[in-house]
Amino acid sequence: MKWKIHHSAETASTNLDARGGKPGDVFTAGYQSAGRGRLDHKWLSPPGASLLMSVVLDVGGISPERIATLPLAVGFATLEALRRYAPDISLKWPNDILRSGRKLAGILCELCGNHAIAGIGVNVKSWDWPAGIQAAALDGPSTEETRDAILDRLAGVFESWREGGISPFMDRLAACDALKGKQIEVMRIDGDPEPFSGVAEGIAEDGALVVSGEKVYAGEVHIGTVG
Ligand code: BTN
């Protein structure tokens, strides 16, 4: 995969910029005035503190079942790339990267016709995060180095994912699973929205999180029980 970088000093959201892109295009920005996260959350970052990157991927001809596992594959590629800077990282289903239990990176995958837009935000430098945000940063590599490390890893992971979904990564996914064996609370968005608690048993080959024997395909997870 050959990547083509399009950088702007400031934009609303690189995921919006990427809607006009083609496969292999990578949109980055120094600052986003309307950075978006999963489930209508915001991605906040002062200028230069985060890697803000959206990658356009060709998912034409791939089944919807496999496409549903793409966010996990992108999370896995990001984790593998960042491990050299931060060995203490793990993947919180579906695709948050945690460093010592605090959020280091987040991923927002969106579909746009035959393209998937993989939006990746990484806290490269620490800043004065708003109260209540449990975040961590790399505090080592530059934004450009972080970008290149992720793109390098993503190229290989995306090719294997196109061929075999997340099957080739199952063992390595299990090894970096932040939730496995923990008591968690889940807010489903693929079923009954009433929060429920259970023990995370791991990630299934179809991308679901298995919680006390039940498969969850979309939702938000809190470790422990929310009061
Ligand atoms: C999340 O943790 O909820 C996902 C955060 C994704 C943030 C990235 S930053 C680059 C790209 N552009 C956006 O507006 N969002 C993603």
Side-chain angles (χ1 to χ4, degrees):
M1 175 81 72
K2 187 119 180 60
W3 305 113
K4 185 167 180 208
I5 314 283
H6 308 265
H7 182 75
S8 19
E10 179 175 343
T11 189
S13 157
T14 55
N15 264 33
L16 295 180
D17 298 340
R19 290 191 185 175
K22 49 186 189 312
D25 282 346
V26 176
F27 293 83
T28 60
Y31 176 69
Q32 294 181 137
S33 54
R36 298 156 59 226
R38 286 180 66 239
L39 310 174
D40 286 332
H41 293 309
K42 292 189 170 71
W43 179 270
L44 297 173
S45 172
S50 294
L51 169 66
L52 307 165
M53 167 163 90
S54 299
V55 183
V56 185
L57 300 166
D58 178 13
V59 291
I62 300 181
S63 69
E65 291 76 22
R66 182 162 296 175
I67 290 176
T69 66
L70 180 62
L72 265 172
V74 175
F76 173 70
T78 305
L79 177 131
E80 288 229 315
L82 298 184
R83 195 178 257 145
R84 76 195 73 168
Y85 308 116
D88 49 337
I89 58 177
S90 56
L91 185 77
K92 174 173 169 265
W93 182 93
N95 54 14
D96 278 351
I97 313 285
L98 306 184
R99 177 173 201 182
S100 297
R102 291 165 169 261
K103 184 150 166 170
L104 175 69
I107 289 152
L108 173 66
C109 285
E110 298 181 297
L111 276 180
C112 185
N114 278 343
H115 298 165
I117 296 167
I120 304 171
V122 182
N123 293 320
V124 173
K125 293 183 196 139
S126 292
W127 57 284
D128 203 4
W129 285 290
I133 293 195
Q134 303 268 308
L138 291 175
D139 288 325
S142 66
T143 307
E144 291 74 18
E145 185 179 341
T146 309
R147 174 198 69 198
D148 292 344
I150 295 173
L151 290 176
D152 221 43
R153 199 71 197 94
L154 184 59
V157 167
F158 181 66
E159 282 318 312
S160 345
W161 173 84
R162 278 188 73 93
E163 295 293 309
I166 57 167
S167 307
F169 316 120
M170 290 310 289
D171 288 352
R172 281 176 293 158
L173 267 177
C176 64
D177 185 345
L179 301 177
K180 197 164 181 177
K182 296 212 168 100
Q183 183 72 33
I184 59 170
E185 185 161 274
V186 187
M187 253 76 69
R188 308 184 72 123
I189 52 171
D190 62 339
D192 183 352
E194 196 56 36
F196 78 100
S197 306
V199 175
E201 290 167 2
I203 296 166
E205 214 154 308
D206 59 1
L209 178 69
V210 184
V211 186
S212 297
E214 204 173 315
K215 278 183 163 182
V216 177
Y217 288 92
E220 187 163 24
V221 170
H222 294 280
I223 300 175
T225 310
V226 178

